[in-house]
Amino acid sequence: MQSVLVVNAGSSSVKFQIFEAHAPNALRGLIKGQVDGIGAQPRLYAQASDGSILIDQSYAATEVADVPAAMAIAAGWLRQTPGIELIAVGHRVVHGGPDYDRPVLIDKNVLKRLERYVSLAPLHQPNNLAVIRSLLTLRPELAQAACFDTAFHRSHGAIVDHYAIPESYYHEGVRRYGFHGLSYEYIAARLNEIAPDIAKGRVIVAHLGSGASMCALAGGRSIESTMGFTALDGLPMGTSGSNRPRRPAVHARRKRDERQSS
């Protein structure tokens, strides 16, 4: 059956889902899985839409040392799954910069533009692009689309988007982008389905987890976000903004304090 693969590649896991394209503009979930513990305790786990477990397999850390290796493991297993004929792949990409305010088909030129934003989201962007790069090499005929966490916030007004710096920096791309946009876009769509009267007004939404932010909606559109130029802005998060490794001195001091307290 013709199927679409959706991939969300993080720093320590690659999550994926397979959807059957059984009708125009309609998808039916078939398989949901992930490779987690990359570089430490890798594990491939997947289940069918009815909840039955399809695979639960562990690997040595050296076998799945990075995101491309994790994607290769998942792809190898999917190729062996009967009846799966991939026709397209959709990717979550954290940073689309000022260029992209909606999903885009990926080619080498798009990939090159997205590589410019690696330094602005160093924990996520390299891993998002690593999977895309691998598939461009292995399956160049396969259509790939990028969906951006920044795109939903491109509806911000000019005042919200600007920092108090010279205008020339804005035109070079230094502006408030906002992130977690795919999450907020989904929430805005669902809110319109279950509470349309509320969705037409002003709503504050919180995205809370290891990564955290808040977004102000008006009529289902983003008008303000706590995140800005990078994903470091805004609410405190699980790893001090989740885009920079903890400093060795701080890490050592915390370990010392933990030993003393115990």
Side-chain angles (χ1 to χ4, degrees):
M1 67 189 75
Q2 290 189 328
S3 306
V4 175
L5 169 65
V6 176
V7 181
N8 181 358
S11 58
S12 62
S13 69
V14 173
K15 299 176 182 178
F16 61 89
Q17 283 192 254
I18 293 286
F19 294 88
E20 178 191 359
H22 70 286
N25 300 318
L27 298 173
R28 182 170 67 90
L30 297 175
I31 297 172
K32 181 178 182 179
Q34 66 181 53
V35 182
D36 56 21
I38 296 173
Q41 296 179 312
R43 172 178 174 245
L44 169 60
Y45 177 87
Q47 62 182 39
S49 57
D50 62 3
S52 60
I53 298 175
L54 301 175
I55 187 170
D56 188 351
Q57 183 171 338
S58 298
Y59 301 84
T62 53
E63 291 182 274
V64 191
D66 53 25
V67 168
M71 194 61 216
I73 289 287
W77 175 75
L78 286 171
R79 281 195 297 269
Q80 297 173 12
T81 303
I84 300 297
E85 179 192 350
L86 284 186
I87 59 172
V89 183
H91 300 269
R92 176 218 179 186
V93 177
V94 166
H95 215 307
D99 300 322
Y100 303 110
D101 62 356
R102 65 199 66 193
V104 62
L105 285 174
I106 301 168
D107 57 24
K108 290 182 178 179
N109 290 328
V110 171
L111 179 61
K112 187 175 181 180
R113 294 187 73 87
L114 295 178
E115 287 171 344
R116 298 166 56 192
Y117 310 119
V118 165
S119 62
L120 303 184
L123 187 64
H124 298 290
Q125 194 85 349
N127 297 311
N128 301 155
L129 302 186
V131 175
I132 293 171
R133 195 178 295 108
S134 295
L135 287 174
L136 279 175
T137 301
L138 297 173
R139 295 284 305 274
E141 82 288 353
L142 195 61
Q144 296 191 71
C147 300
F148 304 101
D149 260 342
T150 51
F152 185 63
H153 303 294
R154 296 279 52 79
S155 57
H156 285 179
I159 292 177
V160 172
D161 254 3
H162 279 69
Y163 287 105
I165 55 177
E167 181 77 7
S168 59
Y169 291 113
Y170 176 85
H171 292 297
E172 290 178 15
V174 182
R175 60 187 71 178
R176 296 185 64 86
Y177 289 106
F179 297 88
H180 295 150
L182 294 174
S183 173
Y184 292 128
E185 185 174 6
Y186 172 77
I187 291 170
R190 288 290 292 133
L191 186 62
N192 187 55
E193 292 175 4
I194 63 177
D197 291 339
I198 293 176
K200 293 175 184 177
R202 298 188 176 190
V203 180
I204 294 177
V205 181
H207 176 103
L208 302 177
S210 181
S213 67
M214 298 179 73
C215 177
L217 303 177
R221 294 167 61 87
S222 172
I223 59 172
E224 179 65 279
S225 169
T226 59
M227 286 182 159
F229 179 58
T230 76
L232 292 173
D233 280 2
L235 306 182
M237 290 185 272
T239 52
S240 301
S242 73
N243 276 309
R244 288 185 298 190
R246 186 183 295 171
R247 289 176 295 173
V250 174
H251 181 65
R253 188 162 59 248
R254 288 181 180 175
K255 286 294 185 182
R256 181 198 63 201
D257 295 341
E258 288 170 3
R259 288 196 299 270
Q260 291 175 349
S261 64
S262 61

